[in-house]
Amino acid sequence: MKLFFKIVDGYLYGIANGGKKLMEDKELAKSREYKNDLNSPKDMENQVITDLRGKDWERDNSLLSSILNNIGGAFILLDQDLNIILANKAFYNNFQLSEKETINKYLDQLGNGQWNIPHLLTQLQISNIEKDPMRDFEITYDMGNSGSQTLCIDAKVINAGKEKCILLEIEDITEKVRADKDLKESIHRFNEFIYSSPSLIAILGGRDLIVQVANESMIETWGKGTGVIGKPLIREVLPEMAEQGMEDIFHEVYDTGLPFHAHEMPLYHSRNGKLELGYFDFIYQPQRNMKGEIDGVAVIATEVTEKAELHQKIKEDERKFRQLADLIPDKISTGTPDGNVTYYNQSWLDYTGLTAEDLLGRWWTTLVHPEDILKVEEYFLDPNEHKSDFDKELRLLNKNGEYRWHLTRAVHIKDNYGNLKFWVGASTEIHKFKEEEKRKEDFLKMVSHELKTPVTSIKGYIQLLMSIVDSGKNLDLNSLPLKSSLKRIDSQISRLTRLISEMLDLTRVEEARLELQKENFYINDLVEECVNDLEYSFTSSKITIVENERFQVYGDRDRLGQVLINSITNAIKYSPDNKNIEVRIYQDKEGMGSVSIKDRGIGIAKKDHKKIFERFYRVSGQMEDTYSGFGIGLFLAKEIIERHNGLIRVNSKIGEGSEFIFSLPVSSGNNVNSH
Ligand code: ADP
C-alpha cells in the first residue's frame, strides 16, 4: 500500500489527514527537491506522493491517484484513533458517501453509524493487527432500504513516517456469500436426495470406476462396509461382478456415453462373505464434467429380488399350469371378461389342427356349430352379473370340418371386489356318449316295435283260430289253417325268444357274467348244423360251405353257434337281392382256425367297419328302418370271440357285399385235414 503525502510550506503533510503535519524536519523535507509552492488545497489535492524521496511529484501523484481510484476494491486508511484519513473512489461509491462525509470522521460515526460494530472496533487495535493482521473479518453492513451487505475486511498496519496507520481493505462479498449459501443448499439437497433415497445410488469416477459417492442403501447392498469410498468398484469392492460381465457394461457406458437399463437382472454378489443372488432394476448413466467429457458413471438401482422371485414363481406356476393343461385331454382355455380368448391348451390345437396364433387370432364362436351359437350368446349377452357359470352342450368344429358334441363349462374368476377378472373354460368331448344316448333311444323304440310285431302277429293267429272254434260249427280239423298258423306262431315266438335272450346276454356281458362252457369240438360240425337249421328257416336263401378244412377248437359250442347264426342271419337279412351265402372254414397264415361268411348284399361303408361291433350301433340312413334289428348281435359276437382269444373282423364295401371272418386258436393235435 502506498501512502499519499503533500509538502506544504516545507513540511510533509498526509493528504487525507486533513493536512496533518507528518514530518517535523523542515530541512529534511525541503532537502528533497520538492517544490515549495504547493500551498493551495487545490494543489494539495492534485499531489500524490508515493515516496518521500520521490523524484517526480506530478507524475507519481496522478499515477497513484488513478491506480487507487481504479482499483475495484474499497480502501480506507485510519489513524490509530480510527479516524479516517484516506478513502478511495470504490469506497465512496459502495457506501454512497462523499469525501466530506468520510474524511476526518471516526469510523464509528461514519454514515448512520453502520460501522459502529463493537467487535470490529475492538479488533482494530494497531497493537493487535501488527501482530496478527486481520483477515476475512466478516460483518453485515446495513444499507438501509437497499437491504444489507456482507463485507469481508482485511486490516493491516502500515507505517507512515513515525506514525502507524491502519489500512482497511473492504470487499463486498454479499453475492459470494449468497452463492456460497446457494451452493451449500444445493449440495445439501443433493446429499439429502442421495443419502435419504431408498434407491441404491452411487457415483463412480473415471474408467477405473472409483466409488466417489455411495448412499447407505448401496453400501448396505454391497455388504462391504463404509470403507469402499475411494476404491475401484469392480477391482476391489465387487470383484465377483467382473465375472458376470458388469465391468464390460460399465466400460461400454463410459466409452459410448449411452446409458444402460436393466430389468430384474439376476446378480450374484458376495455379501458378508456369502455369495447371494439378488435381482435388480438399474440404470448406468454416464456422468459428464463441465467440459462435457465423460468422467464417471452414476448407478441408480433398486433391489427387486422379492418382486422378481414372485414373477419367477408366477411364471413357474404358469408353466406348470400349461404343462398340466396340455396333459389334460379336455380342451382348456382362458379369456378376458369381454370374451377374448387368451390361451388354448394343446388339446385345442390338436382338435382344431390350428396353431395357437391362428386360434387366438379368430373369434372363438366361429368354432361353435351355428345352431348352438344362440346358447352361447344368450348367456354371454345376459347382463345379470350373478348368473351361474356357463354349462352347455355345444358342437365344436374339428380339424376334419366335423362338429362334435362337447360339454362346455366356463367359470368366471373374480377379484376381491367381485369384478370379473377372467374366464376359465373347459370343453369335454361327449360325442360318443351323445351317440350312445341316441342309440339307446333308438334301441328302446326298436325293442318296443320288435316286441310288438310278433306279439300282434301271434295274437292275430290265435284270434283267427278262436273265432273259428267259437263259430260252433262241426269243423274238419284238416280244413283249418292250423298247421300254418302254428308255424307262424312258433316262428314269432322264436323271434321273441331270440330277442329276449339277446337282451339277457347283453346284460350278462355288461355285468361280466357271460359264462363259457368250453370243450374241444370240430367247428365244422357246428357250422354244418347251423347252416342246415338256417336253410330250413330261410328257404329262399342258398348257403354253401365252399371250403371245409377240418379242425377242432376249444370253446363254448352254444355261444359260438350263436355267433355263426347271427352272422349268417345278418348275411341273409342285409342281402335283399342275392341270397347266395358262401361259408369257408380254413386255417389262416397264422394258423388260426377261421370261419368266413360272405354275402352279396348291401355292404358296409369303411367308416362303419369298427362301429358295427359297438353296442346298439346300427348303420344309419334309409336302410335303418328297412332291416329290423337291435344292434346287439355283432357286439355280443365280438365279446364271445374275444373271450375265446379270437378275432372278428369285416371286409366290405358299400354295394358289394360283406365278409365277416372270425378266427379262433386251433386245438393242438386234433387236426384232421380232410373230410
Ligand atoms: P342288427 O340286429 O342291427 O343286425 P348287429 O349287431 O348284428 O345288429 O349288426 C350291427 C349292424 O351292422 C347292423 O345294423 C347292420 O347295419 C350292419 N351289418 C351287420 N351285418 C351286415 C351285413 N352282412 N351286411 C351289411 N350290414 C351288416
Side-chain angles (χ1 to χ4, degrees):
M1 177 61 199
K2 309 243 188 246
L3 289 174
F4 308 90
F5 301 94
K6 293 177 199 288
I7 304 287
V8 181
D9 197 20
Y11 291 101
L12 180 70
Y13 292 88
I15 282 180
N17 203 14
K20 200 174 174 187
K21 201 191 279 174
L22 294 177
M23 193 176 283
E24 289 299 328
D25 191 342
K26 206 173 170 180
E27 289 310 309
L28 179 66
K30 272 188 182 166
S31 71
R32 306 293 179 236
E33 291 166 20
Y34 304 145
K35 287 197 174 170
N36 209 6
D37 56 357
L38 301 170
N39 291 331
S40 71
K42 201 168 178 345
D43 289 338
M44 281 171 68
E45 273 174 28
N46 289 333
Q47 296 301 317
V48 178
I49 307 163
T50 58
D51 188 335
L52 285 173
R53 287 155 292 125
K55 292 196 175 61
D56 188 346
W57 273 93
E58 294 286 337
R59 202 196 65 214
D60 289 354
N61 220 3
S62 70
L63 177 67
L64 286 169
S65 165
S66 126
I67 290 173
L68 256 190
N69 286 327
N70 281 305
I71 286 176
F75 293 91
I76 49 173
L77 190 68
L78 308 165
D79 65 12
Q80 55 190 358
D81 300 328
L82 305 185
N83 187 28
I84 300 168
I85 52 177
L86 184 69
N88 73 342
K89 237 187 207 168
F91 181 84
Y92 296 130
N93 287 344
N94 194 13
F95 300 104
Q96 292 174 2
L97 292 166
S98 65
E99 191 177 330
K100 205 170 153 215
E101 290 165 326
T102 309
I103 303 300
N104 242 352
K105 293 280 186 306
Y106 287 102
L107 188 61
D108 55 350
Q109 290 167 354
L110 207 57
N112 298 326
Q114 295 101 320
W115 291 93
N116 187 7
I117 301 167
H119 70 284
L120 170 68
L121 299 176
T122 45
Q123 288 288 314
L124 291 177
Q125 301 277 337
I126 289 208
S127 54
N128 283 349
I129 300 172
E130 236 174 355
K131 273 189 251 143
D132 183 15
M134 182 190 281
R135 288 215 147 272
D136 298 336
F137 193 92
E138 267 185 41
I139 59 162
T140 305
Y141 181 83
D142 183 8
M143 298 283 290
N145 289 342
S146 325
S148 61
Q149 279 187 352
T150 307
L151 304 178
C152 175
I153 300 174
D154 286 0
K156 43 185 110 115
V157 173
I158 53 170
N159 294 321
K162 286 183 187 163
E163 295 211 32
K164 292 186 174 177
C165 300
I166 300 172
L167 177 73
L168 289 195
E169 192 181 338
I170 304 153
E171 193 187 349
D172 177 3
I173 57 164
T174 314
E175 276 312 310
K176 197 172 145 252
V177 167
R178 192 172 299 140
D180 274 0
K181 201 170 150 238
D182 287 352
L183 182 66
K184 271 191 197 141
E185 188 69 26
S186 113
I187 290 174
H188 174 77
R189 258 191 253 125
F190 171 77
N191 285 341
E192 197 50 19
F193 169 74
I194 288 188
Y195 291 100
S196 64
S197 169
S199 294
L200 317 174
I201 300 177
I203 298 175
L204 312 172
R207 215 170 181 277
D208 287 342
L209 309 168
I210 307 290
V211 181
Q212 291 173 337
V213 172
N215 70 355
E216 237 177 76
S217 324
M218 185 62 107
I219 287 182
E220 160 79 20
T221 304
W222 285 342
K224 305 284 160 66
T226 46
V228 294
I229 303 293
K231 291 189 180 159
L233 181 73
I234 305 285
R235 252 184 297 124
E236 276 189 40
V237 183
L238 303 171
E240 64 272 18
M241 291 287 160
E243 292 153 29
Q244 298 174 67
M246 301 316 285
E247 191 171 31
D248 296 342
I249 296 176
F250 271 120
H251 284 161
E252 179 86 10
V253 173
Y254 191 90
D255 296 339
T256 62
L258 297 172
F260 176 82
H261 298 257
H263 178 63
E264 290 185 8
M265 185 184 257
L267 284 176
Y268 282 94
H269 60 284
S270 132
R271 205 185 321 215
N272 307 322
K274 269 198 293 173
L275 211 56
E276 283 181 17
L277 174 64
Y279 292 84
F280 297 88
D281 284 351
F282 61 81
I283 172 168
Y284 290 167
Q285 184 75 39
Q287 297 294 290
R288 294 174 190 275
N289 62 17
M290 305 276 274
K291 288 187 232 157
E293 301 154 345
I294 293 172
D295 67 351
V297 178
V299 182
I300 301 170
T302 318
E303 176 155 10
V304 290
T305 305
E306 267 181 37
K307 199 170 86 182
E309 280 173 354
L310 195 69
H311 283 166
Q312 301 247 317
K313 194 171 168 333
I314 291 171
K315 269 192 208 151
E316 178 65 13
D317 285 354
E318 168 121 5
R319 201 176 56 83
K320 275 192 202 149
F321 160 75
R322 279 172 193 256
Q323 273 180 351
L324 200 71
D326 283 347
L327 278 178
I328 295 174
D330 285 354
K331 295 159 192 75
I332 308 285
S333 57
T334 57
T336 54
D338 56 8
N340 261 313
V341 178
T342 46
Y343 165 75
Y344 286 104
N345 73 342
Q346 188 60 39
S347 185
W348 264 113
L349 311 187
D350 296 344
Y351 181 74
T352 55
L354 297 170
T355 63
E357 290 72 41
D358 288 345
L359 263 175
L360 291 169
R362 61 194 285 171
W363 189 244
W364 69 276
T365 49
T366 55
L367 298 168
V368 179
H369 192 286
E371 285 170 22
D372 298 335
I373 282 190
L374 207 60
K375 295 183 202 170
V376 178
E377 285 178 350
E378 262 175 10
Y379 179 84
F380 283 97
L381 298 179
D382 176 5
N384 174 14
E385 285 180 13
H386 303 292
K387 58 193 169 190
S388 53
D389 294 330
F390 182 81
D391 189 341
K392 294 264 184 296
E393 288 180 359
L394 306 174
R395 277 159 288 179
L396 302 174
L397 189 65
N398 74 4
K399 58 182 163 202
N400 303 322
E402 295 163 359
Y403 286 99
R404 295 182 71 79
W405 280 105
H406 284 76
L407 175 64
T408 299
R409 291 201 171 110
V411 287
H412 33 250
I413 311 290
K414 292 182 174 172
D415 65 14
N416 293 343
Y417 307 102
N419 302 318
L420 179 60
K421 260 182 97 183
F422 62 93
W423 292 95
V424 178
S427 295
T428 311
E429 188 167 329
I430 52 162
H431 201 77
K432 276 194 180 160
F433 298 108
K434 286 288 271 192
E435 281 183 337
E436 177 113 329
E437 214 172 84
K438 184 169 182 302
R439 284 208 298 270
K440 261 190 189 159
E441 270 171 31
D442 294 349
F443 171 74
L444 283 175
K445 265 192 242 157
M446 225 166 0
V447 165
S448 23
H449 175 77
E450 287 291 314
L451 287 172
K452 219 170 144 196
T453 315
V455 170
T456 318
S457 160
I458 290 167
K459 199 163 182 199
Y461 283 111
I462 288 174
Q463 276 174 348
L464 171 73
L465 292 175
M466 278 185 48
S467 66
I468 295 170
V469 172
D470 284 351
S471 64
K473 295 174 190 161
N474 280 337
L475 297 168
D476 174 6
L477 270 181
N478 291 332
S479 67
L480 291 179
L482 203 54
K483 197 175 171 195
S484 62
S485 299
L486 286 175
K487 209 174 164 188
R488 292 305 298 165
I489 289 170
D490 181 54
S491 132
Q492 294 299 350
I493 287 176
S494 316
R495 208 171 150 189
L496 273 177
T497 319
R498 189 165 67 86
L499 175 60
I500 291 162
S501 63
E502 271 191 358
M503 303 243 304
L504 279 174
D505 286 347
L506 179 71
T507 337
R508 285 193 193 108
V509 167
E510 280 178 344
E511 293 172 7
R513 283 192 295 111
L514 190 78
E515 281 171 17
L516 300 178
Q517 307 290 332
K518 287 190 180 173
E519 58 182 314
N520 273 319
F521 68 94
Y522 282 98
I523 192 81
N524 315 67
D525 298 343
L526 179 67
V527 174
E528 281 158 21
E529 262 171 45
C530 292
V531 168
N532 287 340
D533 284 356
L534 288 167
E535 263 188 334
Y536 179 73
S537 312
F538 297 98
T539 43
S540 59
S541 313
K542 190 165 183 303
I543 311 164
T544 323
I545 302 176
V546 288
E547 196 178 339
N548 202 350
E549 189 178 331
R550 269 183 82 78
F551 53 83
Q552 280 193 342
V553 293
Y554 180 68
D556 186 318
R557 211 170 189 280
D558 289 347
R559 292 290 175 202
L560 292 173
Q562 199 180 327
V563 173
L564 271 166
I565 287 172
N566 185 66
S567 305
I568 299 171
T569 316
N570 276 351
I572 297 167
K573 189 162 69 173
Y574 297 107
S575 304
D577 305 325
N578 186 338
K579 300 224 179 271
N580 284 326
I581 315 293
E582 289 178 358
V583 179
R584 288 184 171 74
I585 308 163
Y586 60 95
Q587 285 190 49
D588 65 17
K589 284 180 218 148
E590 280 83 39
M592 295 281 274
S594 306
V595 179
S596 127
I597 298 103
K598 192 173 178 182
D599 63 58
R600 293 189 173 80
I602 58 172
I604 305 160
K606 182 114 178 104
K607 69 175 174 56
D608 292 320
H609 283 190
K610 242 176 118 176
K611 290 181 181 168
I612 51 172
F613 294 100
E614 287 171 15
R615 201 172 45 153
F616 309 134
Y617 190 87
R618 309 198 68 232
V619 175
S620 57
Q622 286 176 330
M623 295 163 196
E624 200 171 2
D625 299 329
T626 318
Y627 307 100
S628 66
F630 316 113
I632 301 176
L634 282 179
F635 170 72
L636 286 176
K638 186 169 183 270
E639 282 291 324
I640 293 167
I641 297 297
E642 283 176 358
R643 294 277 302 274
H644 282 85
N645 301 323
L647 278 174
I648 185 161
R649 62 184 197 280
V650 62
N651 295 323
S652 181
K653 266 189 190 164
I654 278 273
E656 291 183 16
S658 314
E659 181 185 19
F660 281 84
I661 305 154
F662 62 87
S663 321
L664 299 166
V666 170
S667 298
S668 53
N670 287 314
N671 291 3
V672 180
N673 284 328
S674 61
H675 183 57

